[in-house]
Amino acid sequence: MQASNLLKLDTRASKRSNMLLEQSLAKPRRDKVSLGAFAFLFAEIIRYSQNRVLGIQDLEAKLNELGKRVGVRVFELLMWREKNVHRETRVLPTLMFINTVVWRALFDKQADSLGHSTENDDEYMITDNEPSILKYISVPKEMASFSPGAFLAGVVEAIVEGCQCPARVTSHLVPADGMPLKTVILLKFSQEVME
């Protein structure tokens, strides 16, 4: 009798799994991953990466590479799901796409600001005053120059590359009054893109 009950449980789990696999990618899902679960996973990614690098720059490069891998998938999914969005190949529409559509898909909000450098024509900045992925990350004083937002920079870099606007993307932690996690994503576009 117990074996038949196990068999029934197994087939129900199998049916649920098949339903999940058969869902359309074009239909946006309304399920959200809890912030606590994501924060735990992100903290473990940082800890795992930190144990396999020699310095802060290597750690940021590792997080950036992981962010690029996520960014490629996010870009593909958004291009598939968003009916009124087409692949941009110009700088400003690409930045607006990241600032609104991508940020909303990832963090359920728009980035706080999008700016242009006054010194260099090829530099733009995306600012997030409270990035939700950094909410539960604390940087020790001996690693004060470490920016855990390097992961975000990787995501953004993959998306601008997908839009045929290659750029060097870096993340900078810029604490301000009441905003200790304020992060600025700096994009420096290549000259071919700016022409």
Side-chain angles (χ1 to χ4, degrees), residues 41-60:
L41 181 63
F42 189 62
E44 286 300 307
I45 288 171
I46 291 175
R47 188 182 63 75
Y48 177 83
S49 300
Q50 188 177 6
N51 291 337
R52 285 160 177 73
V53 296
L54 299 175
I56 293 172
Q57 289 179 337
D58 292 340
L59 179 57
E60 287 179 348

Side-chain angles (χ1 to χ4, degrees), residues 2 4 6 13-14 35 50 74 115 120 166 170 177:
Q2 286 184 350
S4 65
L6 289 176
S14 176
L35 181 58
Q50 188 177 6
V74 166
N120 299 316
T170 55
D177 293 336

Side-chain angles (χ1 to χ4, degrees), residues 50-93:
Q50 188 177 6
N51 291 337
R52 285 160 177 73
V53 296
L54 299 175
I56 293 172
Q57 289 179 337
D58 292 340
L59 179 57
E60 287 179 348
K62 186 81 159 167
L63 288 175
N64 189 285
E65 186 60 38
L66 290 170
K68 283 182 190 177
R69 294 168 72 180
V70 170
V72 166
R73 287 160 180 82
V74 166
F75 180 68
E76 289 174 356
L77 185 63
L78 289 175
M79 288 292 107
W80 182 262
R81 280 189 181 165
E82 298 292 325
K83 300 294 184 212
N84 58 349
V85 173
H86 61 279
R87 183 177 297 209
E88 290 294 344
T89 57
R90 294 170 299 160
V91 173
L92 286 177

Side-chain angles (χ1 to χ4, degrees), residues 1 15 28 51 60 65-66 69 84 100 105-106 120-121 125 132-133 139 143 145 147 158-159 168 171 173 187:
M1 184 158 181
K15 286 179 185 175
N51 291 337
E60 287 179 348
E65 186 60 38
L66 290 170
R69 294 168 72 180
N84 58 349
T100 55
L106 291 175
N120 299 316
D121 286 340
M125 295 157 279
S132 56
I133 68 167
V139 179
M143 295 179 68
S145 65
S147 175
I159 291 170
R168 197 179 100 238
S171 169
L173 201 57
L187 298 97

Side-chain angles (χ1 to χ4, degrees), residues 7-48:
L7 185 59
K8 287 179 186 175
L9 289 175
D10 187 47
T11 51
R12 279 190 296 208
S14 176
K15 286 179 185 175
R16 208 170 337 158
S17 174
N18 286 341
M19 288 179 4
L20 181 65
L21 294 175
E22 292 172 0
Q23 287 182 354
S24 171
L25 284 176
K27 179 181 169 190
R29 293 187 46 141
R30 299 291 176 222
D31 301 341
K32 302 288 180 192
V33 175
S34 74
L35 181 58
F38 182 79
F40 175 74
L41 181 63
F42 189 62
E44 286 300 307
I45 288 171
I46 291 175
R47 188 182 63 75
Y48 177 83

